[in-house]
Amino acid sequence: MKLLAQKFAAEGRLVIFVGAGVSSIPPTCLPSWWAMNQAVTASLRDRVAELVGPLRAQVLAEAITQRQEANRFPPEYQAEVIVGRLRDSYFNVLQCLDSEIPNDVHLGIAALSKAHRVAAVVTTNFDRALEAAFRELHVPFEVWSNPAEFKALADRLDKLGTSVVPCPIIKLHGSAENPATLVDTLSQRKRGFAPAVAVCVRQLLRHAHWLFLGYSGADLMADENYLFLKPDAAQAQGFTWLLRTNEQPVAAVSATCAAYGSRAEIVNSELPNWLADFSHPLLAEPVPLVANLDTAAIDEVRRLGREKVAAHATAWAAAERFDRSVLVFADLLRAVGEPSGALDLVQRLYRRQPIEERKSRHFGVVVNTLANLYNEASRFDEAISLFREVLEIYDPTTAEEQHFGALSNLALVYEKQGKTDEALGAFERVLSFAERSTKAEARGIALHNIAMIRLRLGDADEAESLYREELGIVRALGDETARAIVLNNLGELEVSRWRFDRAVEYLAEAVSVRERLGDDLGAARTRANLANGHSLQGARELALELYEHSLDVFKRFGDRTDVARTLGNLARLNEDIGKRDEAIALLDETLTAAMAIGADPVRAQALRLRGEIQHKQGQLRDAFGTYQELVELTVRIRDAKGERDARVGRGIALKALNEIEPAIADLREAMALTELHEFPAREWVVDNLADALNIDGLAREHRGDLDGAMDDYLEALEIWRRRGLSYNEGQTLMNVANVQGRHKLYAEAADTLHRATAALLLGNDREGADTVALNSADVYLQLNRLNEASGVLREIVNRSTNYGERADRMNRIGALAEKQLQRGMIDRALRVFEDCARWNREDGYLPDAAACHLNLGSIYKAAGNVDGGRKSFEKALMLLADQPDHPLHVRAKSLLSDGAIEE
């Protein structure tokens, strides 16, 4: 055997990296991380059995262990979930991964150190078997496991050119005797090493060749820069990596080897024999070995080890409060995609607590968790009610962090309901608290939530800025779950901006993180966002491929609900891209799958799309029938929002069928549900209701039911006012004025028309506004309310934006004056022309003013008022005195000549 590692060992420049596989060798026989995590799950299962019974508890536990065994729930992520609930008390359970029984590998490493072949031993193991081996062979050593003490070690490692005694045993993830030093969670690993620890690792890379034993390199898959192997490749001495016979290196190890070239080597063999062969030429005397154990003895040792771990985990779980144990088990269920199981557990926990004891602070955590689960299940009313309970439990003056945490969760419900202002106000209060508390995690959450609202309000730039600030925070915290979420949201934002290259970059990274964590649902949702982006780009086939990939994932894991839901999403996509036949086929498949598993909410979603398609195809009776079925279904499953949507769909279908009264009845029911539950998309409901009311009002007016018509119009009018849709308000006011006119309520009609004018102007319909204003002025003239008529007409003139438009408006006003003459209302016609003449003079349009005076003179003359006529003609002549050749000047002069006006 001639290896680089042997050459460096001969010089005393070898670092041996000891992984968990070394401690699994007999007689140490420590269980794997997977086995330890399953023991933790079992200990929590046994506590939960008190709440749900042993059979149900076992079913729930199997949902977790099956994911573990399928490598879809990494040990460090399970640890992350538990620590999120139990904090530092979790690390006590890790002490079960301890042993002071060395095996031949431990003894071999100690022997190499005794012969001065080893510069340092580095390990991620918690156990103390290495220390036991060093003691057994009387080898001087020092254990380094507390990051706060590594500065002294870094100073010592500067002297590695000479023999360093005692040998450093560097325990990167802590040591079992001190739980405070232990590193096990994903965020701990992602945060990386403390600065002094990093200095030590990098010094050893530059000085010595590393030999990896019993280590798969899985940490490199989560972070390719782990141990600084890749970043320091140019300065490092290299490494030798021992893998088991026929084992292939993980991709990250292969990539790191490529970066080192000839300075890296991978060897396949078995421990402890390989280490004995490796050490033989380096040692002056043989290594004392552990007595051989037969198979039965090894099995017994392993059995006792498993029992020890199980007993320790059981004692750890028993030391926790019962409610905390239940909550952490529910958290694990949520993490592996079993939210219904989590909800059932926490509901039982809540209901078994006496009402008078639900107000305690420690039980507030249970209430908050249940509220969050209701929110995730879209049971918003129950969630809001419970969050308000939590806010009462945690007074902001004495339990600020808990209070604002609940407020943030409540605001998330508001955000889902479309209560943007309420949500934004709450999130800003939470951000203010986070800044006062200086807690980075709280600030990151607050920034994320405000960003969501800002994006909804159309401020994409600010949303992006907030997301980026949050991304920096979660990266520093090592919070991979939050990082995946913010990457996903940044990807969504970029899709909305049509920045597809950047969107794909974000979303691809989010998928990578979620897949590594085993978050299949999150990964599928991110792929759906990718599909949305590709669809907007016109890459329709690629979008379909991504949806279909998600479908394959759900089928592989037997998640039939998500299979049905994804089929529905594919149907929607096909409808959107014009593949209606495919959409209808997928809808049929969705409905069949949903019926088979009793997934009524998925079935309701599919029925809604079917109703939409039928309506688009003009199959109004079929659409009505589909919505009829949907209403009955949503009522039965008590899906209030689904019922609201179904009633709107049925109301629209009935409206198209001209069955207005039942349409209004449906839309009123939909409106009542919207108001009761504060559902989003309120505008969709009220707009259809107001439209139906207007249609019904016109029909009633036609039948002579003026009171009924007025009731319809006034209700529609109130809706348009609240909606702020000025154009619709103006149109409805015209209908109201028409009914008032038919009731001979002319004064009210004139005022209503004046209001209609203002509304139409706000709705940017200037042409319509001027037409209505002329009508209101006409009524004011008939009522002899001349000043009001004058004010309306002056406003029409003032709205003109150019001379051509002004001239047109003046002509229309002139026609209104002629209308008064035809009615014999000479005084009112005179008032209109006098006003027009004055406005033209004031505005500097003297020829137009002269024309008005000519009209006035003609009216006076026709009425026998010769003096009035002469004065009007003289005014016209005077206005154009400096334009003697102007046609109007010539005409005025002619009218004043002899014989034109006789006494």
Side-chain angles (χ1 to χ4, degrees):
M1 180 186 294
K2 292 183 179 180
L3 297 169
L4 285 171
Q6 285 177 315
K7 171 183 175 295
F8 280 91
E11 300 171 4
R13 296 170 59 205
L14 183 70
V15 169
I16 300 180
F17 187 97
V18 180
V22 169
S23 293
S24 68
I25 296 171
T28 310
C29 291
L30 281 179
S32 66
W33 292 99
W34 295 106
M36 191 277 291
N37 276 3
Q38 289 184 355
V40 168
T41 301
S43 69
L44 294 168
R45 172 204 65 201
D46 293 342
R47 294 218 70 190
V48 165
E50 179 184 331
L51 188 65
V52 298
L55 291 178
R56 175 62 175 159
Q58 179 60 29
V59 170
L60 295 173
E62 286 175 357
I64 300 170
T65 56
Q66 285 171 6
R67 293 279 290 199
Q68 292 169 334
E69 290 167 357
N71 200 25
R72 299 298 300 161
F73 192 36
E76 64 270 24
Y77 185 42
Q78 174 170 317
E80 183 81 18
V81 172
I82 298 175
V83 168
R85 179 69 65 181
L86 301 183
R87 305 300 177 189
D88 291 344
S89 70
Y90 163 73
F91 293 98
N92 296 328
V93 78
L94 299 179
Q95 291 183 299
C96 67
L97 291 175
D98 191 20
S99 174
E100 294 186 274
I101 302 174
N103 56 46
D104 288 344
V105 177
H106 297 121
L107 292 169
I109 294 168
L112 285 168
S113 179
K114 187 175 184 179
H116 305 292
R117 306 304 188 188
V118 178
V121 179
V122 179
T123 183
T124 52
N125 297 345
F126 303 152
D127 65 77
R128 292 172 288 175
L130 269 171
E131 294 95 302
F134 273 64
R135 282 192 293 269
E136 186 171 324
L137 299 189
H138 307 289
V139 184
F141 71 93
E142 285 183 349
V143 174
W144 299 86
S145 62
N146 189 339
E149 300 170 354
F150 269 71
K151 176 65 170 64
L153 176 61
D155 294 339
R156 281 188 56 203
L157 292 179
D158 280 337
K159 305 173 184 177
L160 277 174
T162 61
S163 179
V164 178
V165 178
C167 178
I169 298 178
I170 301 171
K171 306 184 82 167
L172 295 176
H173 291 176
S175 191
E177 75 273 10
N178 184 3
T181 66
L182 299 182
V183 173
D184 188 40
T185 70
L186 181 62
S187 60
Q188 285 178 313
R189 297 178 187 219
K190 293 298 292 185
R191 284 196 294 269
F193 301 117
V197 178
V199 168
C200 294
V201 172
R202 302 182 99 157
Q203 285 175 326
L204 290 170
L205 283 173
R206 290 194 297 272
H207 172 78
H209 187 91
W210 286 42
L211 172 62
F212 288 92
L213 303 177
Y215 182 60
S216 69
D219 293 306
L220 294 174
M221 295 299 292
D223 181 2
E224 65 176 4
N225 296 323
Y226 184 68
L227 295 174
F228 307 102
L229 286 172
K230 234 180 172 181
D232 288 8
Q235 297 82 31
Q237 295 298 322
F239 60 82
T240 298
W241 207 301
L242 178 69
L243 298 175
R244 300 189 68 179
T245 304
N246 298 324
E247 182 181 1
Q248 295 298 313
V250 297
V253 172
S254 295
T256 305
C257 282
Y260 277 73
S262 62
R263 290 172 293 134
E265 53 193 1
I266 293 179
V267 180
N268 288 94
S269 190
E270 300 292 333
L271 289 172
N273 294 337
W274 182 88
L275 184 60
D277 293 341
F278 172 87
S279 304
H280 179 71
L282 299 169
L283 301 176
E285 55 187 43
V287 180
L289 301 177
V290 176
N292 284 333
L293 299 177
D294 60 25
T295 302
I298 292 172
D299 289 345
E300 179 63 13
V301 171
R302 294 193 188 283
R303 185 186 67 79
L304 292 173
R306 288 193 297 271
E307 288 183 355
K308 175 186 172 185
V309 169
H312 185 90
T314 298
W316 164 80
E320 285 291 345
R321 278 205 322 262
F322 177 71
D323 57 341
R324 281 162 59 90
S325 296
V326 173
L327 291 179
V328 78
F329 196 73
D331 292 341
L332 293 173
L333 287 169
R334 290 172 66 195
V336 300
E338 293 289 339
S340 60
L343 178 58
D344 177 56
L345 277 182
V346 182
Q347 277 180 322
R348 289 171 181 263
L349 185 62
Y350 178 82
R351 289 168 181 166
R352 85 174 211 159
Q353 187 79 356
I355 294 176
E356 63 275 9
E357 296 178 18
R358 291 178 184 169
K359 299 297 183 181
S360 66
R361 285 197 177 183
H362 86 264
F363 198 75
V365 179
V366 176
V367 182
N368 189 68
T369 302
L370 182 56
N372 275 321
L373 289 166
Y374 280 141
N375 180 27
E376 292 172 5
S378 297
R379 296 168 63 170
F380 298 134
D381 291 340
E382 292 158 292
I384 289 171
S385 175
L386 289 178
F387 280 133
R388 286 173 177 163
E389 282 188 33
V390 179
L391 291 172
E392 291 178 4
I393 292 170
Y394 296 120
D395 186 278
T397 60
T398 57
E400 195 176 31
E401 182 175 353
Q402 294 92 334
H403 180 87
F404 282 100
L407 181 62
S408 179
N409 293 333
L410 176 60
L412 287 171
V413 183
Y414 288 148
E415 190 273 334
K416 289 183 178 180
Q417 290 182 313
K419 297 179 180 179
T420 304
D421 291 339
E422 293 93 328
L424 181 59
F427 287 144
E428 287 176 340
R429 289 172 59 197
V430 173
L431 178 60
S432 177
F433 155 72
E435 289 171 339
R436 291 197 311 274
S437 72
T438 69
K439 289 194 174 182
E441 182 180 8
R443 178 172 175 79
I445 293 170
L447 290 171
H448 182 92
N449 293 333
I450 292 173
M452 288 192 302
I453 298 295
R454 288 299 179 197
L455 184 58
R456 172 175 288 179
L457 294 173
D459 195 343
D461 290 339
E462 185 177 355
E464 180 184 11
S465 175
L466 294 169
Y467 279 138
R468 288 191 176 283
E469 187 177 351
E470 180 202 3
L471 189 59
I473 291 171
V474 298
R475 277 177 171 155
L477 292 171
D479 189 339
E480 286 291 88
T481 302
R483 186 167 76 91
I485 293 171
V486 70
L487 286 169
N488 181 75
N489 286 21
L490 277 167
E492 284 185 295
L493 187 152
E494 296 299 357
V495 167
S496 71
R497 289 169 155 178
W498 290 65
R499 294 179 180 175
F500 300 114
D501 289 343
R502 294 177 63 179
V504 168
E505 181 181 342
Y506 286 129
L507 295 171
E509 189 174 355
V511 167
S512 176
V513 173
R514 284 174 155 170
E515 286 187 335
R516 191 168 66 247
L517 299 180
D519 181 6
D520 299 315
L521 181 58
R525 286 174 175 168
T526 302
R527 288 193 189 94
N529 287 328
L530 277 168
N532 291 338
H534 290 306
S535 178
L536 288 172
Q537 281 183 293
R540 295 171 176 175
E541 294 303 321
L542 181 55
L544 283 170
E545 181 181 336
L546 285 167
Y547 275 124
E548 287 166 352
H549 180 73
S550 294
L551 183 61
D552 289 340
V553 171
F554 296 134
K555 285 180 177 178
R556 186 168 71 249
F557 285 95
D559 191 339
R560 294 193 294 167
T561 300
D562 274 326
V563 166
R565 184 177 291 112
T566 306
L567 288 170
N569 289 336
L570 281 165
R572 170 71 69 179
L573 180 59
N574 274 277
E575 166 62 16
D576 290 344
I577 64 178
K579 295 184 177 180
R580 181 157 290 168
D581 291 342
E582 291 90 333
I584 292 172
L586 284 165
L587 269 181
D588 291 341
E589 194 175 349
T590 302
L591 288 166
T592 300
M595 287 284 288
I597 60 176
D600 284 340
V602 177
R603 179 175 160 229
Q605 179 185 347
L607 284 172
R608 179 178 174 182
L609 178 56
R610 173 178 279 180
E612 290 176 16
I613 291 174
Q614 289 168 333
H615 193 275
K616 289 176 185 177
Q617 291 179 316
Q619 300 168 350
L620 300 179
R621 279 294 168 195
D622 291 339
F624 168 77
T626 298
Y627 283 122
Q628 176 77 15
E629 181 182 356
L630 183 57
V631 169
E632 293 170 358
L633 173 61
T634 51
V635 168
R636 186 174 73 250
I637 65 176
R638 302 185 68 180
D639 176 3
K641 184 179 182 301
E643 180 190 348
R644 189 280 302 266
D645 294 348
R647 288 190 180 279
V648 173
R650 190 169 70 178
I652 293 171
L654 286 165
K655 189 170 58 167
L657 290 165
N658 205 32
E659 297 180 21
I660 305 301
E661 290 189 13
I664 290 175
D666 258 333
L667 292 166
R668 288 193 192 284
E669 288 286 345
M671 193 64 229
L673 288 166
T674 303
E675 297 290 355
L676 176 64
H677 299 287
E678 300 181 329
F679 287 139
R682 181 180 183 277
E683 298 83 358
W684 175 51
V685 184
V686 296
D687 289 359
N688 277 290
L689 176 57
D691 183 55
L693 287 166
N694 267 319
I695 295 171
D696 189 56
L698 290 170
R700 289 178 181 274
E701 191 178 342
H702 181 73
R703 296 196 302 266
D705 180 8
L706 300 183
D707 291 340
M710 181 64 82
D711 290 341
D712 280 345
Y713 293 147
L714 291 177
E715 185 177 354
L717 184 62
E718 184 63 24
I719 291 172
W720 298 132
R721 281 176 182 159
R722 291 182 179 179
R723 285 278 286 113
L725 295 177
S726 301
Y727 175 80
N728 302 76
E729 180 183 347
Q731 293 292 320
T732 305
L733 281 167
M734 290 166 60
N735 292 337
V736 170
N738 191 53
V739 173
Q740 290 170 332
R742 292 183 65 177
H743 272 304
K744 304 187 184 307
L745 301 171
Y746 301 120
E748 290 90 337
D751 292 341
T752 300
L753 288 171
H754 192 49
R755 287 159 50 206
T757 301
L760 291 171
L761 285 170
L762 287 173
N764 296 315
D765 182 9
R766 290 181 61 247
E767 178 65 30
D770 287 347
T771 299
V772 175
L774 285 167
N775 289 335
S776 67
D778 187 16
V779 179
Y780 282 135
L781 288 169
Q782 293 181 64
L783 293 170
N784 206 26
R785 291 164 61 175
L786 304 184
N787 289 336
E788 287 162 286
S790 179
V792 170
L793 296 174
R794 181 54 166 157
E795 288 173 358
I796 294 174
V797 173
N798 288 345
R799 285 196 290 271
S800 302
T801 59
N802 55 62
Y803 179 75
E805 195 174 88
R806 177 190 174 91
D808 174 70
R809 297 312 189 257
M810 280 294 187
N811 288 335
R812 293 170 70 179
I813 293 171
L816 178 63
E818 293 290 342
K819 194 174 181 181
Q820 309 313 308
L821 287 175
Q822 293 168 9
R823 292 173 177 158
M825 299 177 177
I826 298 173
D827 58 330
R828 295 164 204 188
L830 289 170
R831 172 63 184 269
V832 173
F833 281 123
E834 286 169 356
D835 284 342
C836 289
R838 185 177 74 256
W839 299 332
N840 282 322
R841 285 199 310 274
E842 292 171 351
D843 297 344
Y845 296 98
L846 299 184
D848 293 339
C852 291
H853 281 296
L854 289 176
N855 287 328
L856 282 166
S858 297
I859 296 172
Y860 280 125
K861 178 183 175 184
N865 186 345
V866 176
D867 185 54
R870 178 183 296 109
K871 288 179 180 178
S872 295
F873 296 146
E874 287 174 347
K875 288 180 181 178
L877 196 64
M878 181 183 63
L879 288 169
L880 299 174
D882 58 349
Q883 301 179 56
D885 295 330
H886 195 286
L888 292 176
H889 185 279
V890 173
R891 176 166 175 72
K893 190 173 182 180
S894 173
L895 289 170
L896 285 168
S897 64
D898 292 341
I901 298 180
E902 296 179 357
E903 292 296 335

